[in-house]
Amino acid sequence: MTVLEAEIAAYTAANPKSKKLHERAAAFMPGGDTRNSIFWNPFPVYVTHADGVQLTDADGNVRTDFVNNMTTLIMGHRHPDVVKALHDQVDHGVSYPAPSPPVIRWAEILCERVPSVEKVRFVNSGTEATLNAIRAARAFTGKTLIAKCEGAYHGNHDAIQISVTPPLKDAGEAEHPDPVVMFPGINPAAADDIVIMPYNNPEAAERVVRSHAKDLAAVIVEPINGQCGMVPAKPEFLQLLRDLTSELEIPLIFDEVISFRAAAGGAQEWYGITPDLTCFGKVIGGGMPVGAFGGKDEIMSMWDPNYGTEQVQHAGTFNGNPMTAAAGVATLDLLTPEVYEELERKGDRLRQMIRDLISELEVPMGVTGATSLFALQFTTENVTDYRSFATNDKEMNQTVFTGLLNEGFLMSSRCAGNVSAVHTDDDLDAFVDALRRVLVRTGYA
Ligand SMILES: Cc1ncc(COP(=O)(O)O)c(C=O)c1O
């Protein structure tokens, strides 16, 4: 039995009810799954309750949650202010065929905190946020081509499901990667409308952007790349993209669906670099389904219903729904400068403790991340982009992930995590102790 098989056997033995639920789910949903990012083999745990930093599953196992619904729950599960805001809104109705006051407050907060966002529109997912931001840029410029980074995930729509995790054999040269359509069903023509930049390589990205400048409707970038393990952009890389797109008059889109948790004004405040359009999701909805996109008035005004014949249409039954607005406003109100400082302190501390553990145990691993975001890397390469990320040992990743589940800790299946405002230093210490036990038990140390 391999160490992975041993961890999976222990996991299966400890989670019989989740296993049964998964078998039932598989009768009605393909693979028992309706969201690939929370599926893992042999079956995921089924959560029945969450509170603060803790998740309880169907078997009664309690785990410390370092996923927070993929970085969403920055105040942890069931924060009393968020719960109260939702209860109050339920008492007034859950959705209306008309706008409601909480949405105005929500928009005000975002525009106040993010100076580059003069106007904002709400949607129901980060996917819709990037879809609409790209559409805004295309409508504004009258062009079609988009530049994105290799290894960046910007949501599940055709225009951008390109070169997210491309097999290296299909991905071309590191300095000017080929666009790779991620899976069957994506319109293959989407690859003709996109060019791929290597992340964190300013010179190579400049060459890609300059050589396509006259056709580019937008450059889109995630200031902290989630897909490759919460890898922060080098400031000079982001600055290059800003300077270059300003010079060439190409709208620059920041996908802040994850990185908005870096500071009150998002990663753009953290870096001091401002885009023309910003995509939001996750934390701004307080745990409810959400997305938003916003930016310069001259671009966003194309969405004004009175704009005229060039107006961009934007329907959506649940856009700006009052439940999400209520949870979003309650969450954003809790996010004071002190909370951000503390999130960053805990993130820095956790990454340092993991780094110390890795060097003490001499395991072939690394840790990446910034602010409250972190990820384990199962490679000795310094992970700064997709090609270095692709050197990860996938089996070791799965073994450690499953081992941590067995120890009572949840990370994403790619071993990425994040700290919420309610994680304590004791939670961080306990995580590092558990990681030590897993690395020793599996023989990696
Ligand atoms: C950077 C980034 N953009 C967009 C999305 C899509 O957001 P959603 O899952 O809400 O559609 C995600 C989701 O993880 C993301 O990480």
Side-chain angles (χ1 to χ4, degrees), residues 70 125-128 130 153-156 222 255 257-258 282 290:
M70 302 295 170
S125 65
T127 292
E128 290 171 80
T130 62
Y153 178 66
H154 295 292
N156 191 20
E222 204 188 348
D255 180 348
V257 168
I258 288 180
K282 310 222 194 249
V290 76

Side-chain angles (χ1 to χ4, degrees), residues 354-376:
I354 297 170
R355 223 172 273 127
D356 291 346
L357 181 70
I358 290 169
S359 48
E360 182 202 324
L361 299 181
E362 296 180 355
V363 273
M365 282 178 62
V367 60
T368 45
T371 71
S372 55
L373 301 160
F374 70 103
L376 306 179

